Amino acid sequence: KEAMKLIRADRYATYAPVLRMLGKAYAFGKGVDQNLAVSARLYERAMEYDSTDYSLISYSWWLPTHPAVEYRRPQYAVQLMEEIVPDYQDESVTTRSYVFDGYAGALAANGRYGDAIINQQKAIEYLNQERADYPNFAERLSWYECRLQNYKKK
């Protein structure tokens, strides 16, 4: 709780990584009382100030998968992901697997299993390429393959 007080300081009000961390903390009640509305506002603010896509990708993962039904907005997750997926088609981007894994999850949450399967297969393909540069990514392979099997089972 003390750490949460520190990172809520004004100096972090526009720092996307902290806003994203607070968004997740409020989403799950870690170090703070759970507050789904505050979580959503923090994630939205993180996306506004983030110079990368990490906040959008993180939020897009939790929107369709969060345990609390009232937090879920799977259609919004697809909408957000569709804004950035075209940017990750380029082979020069080195960490594409994370994006396509998240996109597949959002698609599956909307019942679009065929599209989810295609994108999860892309995530696995990209992950296999990325593992050469990022050996710690190897642990993700079993997660991605498990999700692919679940999407095939609808």
Side-chain angles (χ1 to χ4, degrees):
K1 288 189 176 190
E2 290 302 312
M4 295 309 284
K5 287 179 190 175
L6 287 173
I7 63 174
R8 285 193 306 249
D10 286 342
R11 67 177 163 247
Y12 297 120
T14 61
Y15 187 55
V18 168
L19 294 168
R20 185 172 57 243
M21 183 183 353
L22 281 170
K24 187 174 179 183
Y26 277 100
F28 293 95
K30 300 293 184 184
V32 294
D33 291 334
Q34 185 180 41
N35 188 320
L36 302 177
V38 168
S39 170
R41 285 196 305 273
L42 286 163
Y43 266 115
E44 293 286 340
R45 187 175 175 104
M47 289 188 307
E48 179 182 340
Y49 289 106
D50 204 338
S51 61
T52 69
D53 293 322
Y54 292 127
S55 296
L56 183 149
I57 295 165
S58 177
Y59 190 35
S60 294
W61 178 257
W62 293 119
L63 284 169
T65 63
H66 193 279
V69 174
E70 62 270 21
Y71 193 80
R72 294 185 200 155
R73 295 174 57 198
Q75 291 175 332
Y76 183 48
V78 169
Q79 177 186 337
L80 289 173
M81 291 301 291
E82 286 179 344
E83 292 176 16
I84 66 164
V85 163
D87 298 337
Y88 288 86
Q89 302 286 350
D90 187 340
E91 290 186 22
S92 67
V93 180
T94 57
T95 55
R96 298 182 286 175
S97 63
Y98 184 58
V99 172
F100 285 90
D101 176 60
Y103 186 40
L107 291 165
N110 282 282
R112 294 174 55 187
Y113 294 105
D115 292 333
I117 290 166
I118 290 167
N119 283 280
Q120 193 65 32
Q121 289 169 331
K122 285 182 184 180
I124 291 169
E125 176 186 328
Y126 296 145
L127 180 66
N128 285 325
Q129 295 168 9
E130 294 163 4
R131 287 178 15 196
D133 293 325
Y134 304 96
N136 60 323
F137 282 14
E139 69 180 9
R140 296 182 187 177
L141 184 59
S142 64
W143 308 342
Y144 287 17
E145 289 174 340
C146 181
R147 290 183 188 131
L148 177 60
Q149 294 310 312
N150 285 330
Y151 301 155
K152 287 179 178 179
K153 294 176 186 175
K154 299 182 180 184

